[in-house]
C-alpha cells in the first residue's frame, strides 16, 4: 500500500478569495474563475518535497464540474502530480476518504478547516492544520 499525504485544496493550497463574491452561484466553479486563483505561499515547494517520498492525494469541497479545471490549475501552478477527488459536502468527502483507505496508507492530512481535521481523524492519520490562505508551511516541515 502506498504511503500518502491527503491535502485539502481550497484555503490550504489554493487562495480562492478572488472569487468569493461568486460563492453560491454557478460562476464560482467556472474554469476561467478557478484558473485565476493563486497558490498559497509555500505550498508548492513543500508538496514538491513531500512528493519525493509520498503520494500526494488532493481533496476539495468543489462540485464534480470543477474537476478538470482543478487538475489544470494544479499543473499550471507547479504542484506535484496527484489524484484529485472532489466532494461538495463533508459527508461526500468522508465517504471518498474512507474509500481511499483501500489504496493508501495516509501518514498525514493537511488542511485549514475543522471539517478537514474531522476527515483526517477518521482516517487515523496525523492532522496538520494551517491558517486559511496564510501558508504557514514551515509548520508542515516541523511535523
Amino acid at each position: 500500500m502506498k504511503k500518502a499525504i491527503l491535502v485539502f485544496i481550497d484555503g490550504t493550497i489554493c487562495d480562492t478569495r478572488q472569487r468569493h463574491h461568486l460563492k453560491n452561484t454557478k460562476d464560482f466553479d467556472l474554469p476561467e474563475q478557478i484558473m485565476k486563483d493563486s497558490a498559497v505561499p509555500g505550498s508548492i515547494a513543500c508538496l514538491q518535497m513531500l512528493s519525493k517520498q509520498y503520494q500526494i492525494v488532493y481533496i476539495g469541497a468543489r462540485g464534480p464540474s470543477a474537476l478538470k479545471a482543478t487538475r489544470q490549475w494544479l499543473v499550471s501552478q507547479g504542484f506535484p502530480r496527484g489524484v484529485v477527488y472532489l466532494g461538495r459536502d463533508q459527508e461526500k468527502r468522508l465517504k471518498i476518504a474512507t474509500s481511499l483507505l483501500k489504496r493508501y496508507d495516509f501518514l498525514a492530512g493537511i488542511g485549514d478547516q475543522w471539517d478537514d481535521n474531522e476527515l483526517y481523524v477518521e482516517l487515523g492519520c496525523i492532522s496538520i492544520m494551517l491558517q486559511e490562505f496564510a501558508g504557514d508551511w514551515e509548520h508542515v516541515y516541523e511535523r
Side-chain angles (χ1 to χ4, degrees), residues 36-50:
K36 292 179 189 175
D37 292 342
S38 58
V40 171
S43 60
I44 297 167
C46 186
L47 292 181
Q48 286 287 2
M49 186 215 47
L50 288 172

Side-chain angles (χ1 to χ4, degrees), residues 47-139:
L47 292 181
Q48 286 287 2
M49 186 215 47
L50 288 172
S51 72
K52 293 176 181 170
Q53 289 185 300
Y54 307 104
Q55 171 71 44
I56 304 298
V57 178
Y58 300 99
I59 192 163
R62 301 173 176 196
S65 66
L67 184 59
K68 184 177 178 182
T70 301
R71 287 179 177 150
Q72 288 175 332
W73 181 84
L74 289 164
V75 169
S76 74
Q77 296 294 313
F79 282 98
R81 274 187 175 189
V83 291
V84 179
Y85 296 92
L86 302 178
R88 181 72 72 196
D89 60 56
Q90 182 68 348
E91 184 179 332
K92 174 89 169 154
R93 291 189 301 276
L94 281 167
K95 191 179 221 180
I96 291 167
T98 54
S99 74
L100 293 174
L101 286 172
K102 297 172 188 158
R103 282 189 266 171
Y104 301 103
D105 177 15
F106 287 104
L107 173 69
I110 305 170
D112 64 278
Q113 299 289 322
W114 178 251
D115 57 353
D116 304 344
N117 182 62
E118 179 185 24
L119 192 118
Y120 306 143
V121 168
E122 184 72 25
L123 294 176
C125 65
I126 296 168
S127 178
I128 302 172
M129 301 307 294
L130 305 177
Q131 185 178 350
E132 184 178 35
F133 310 123
D136 182 18
W137 285 85
E138 294 78 31
H139 180 66

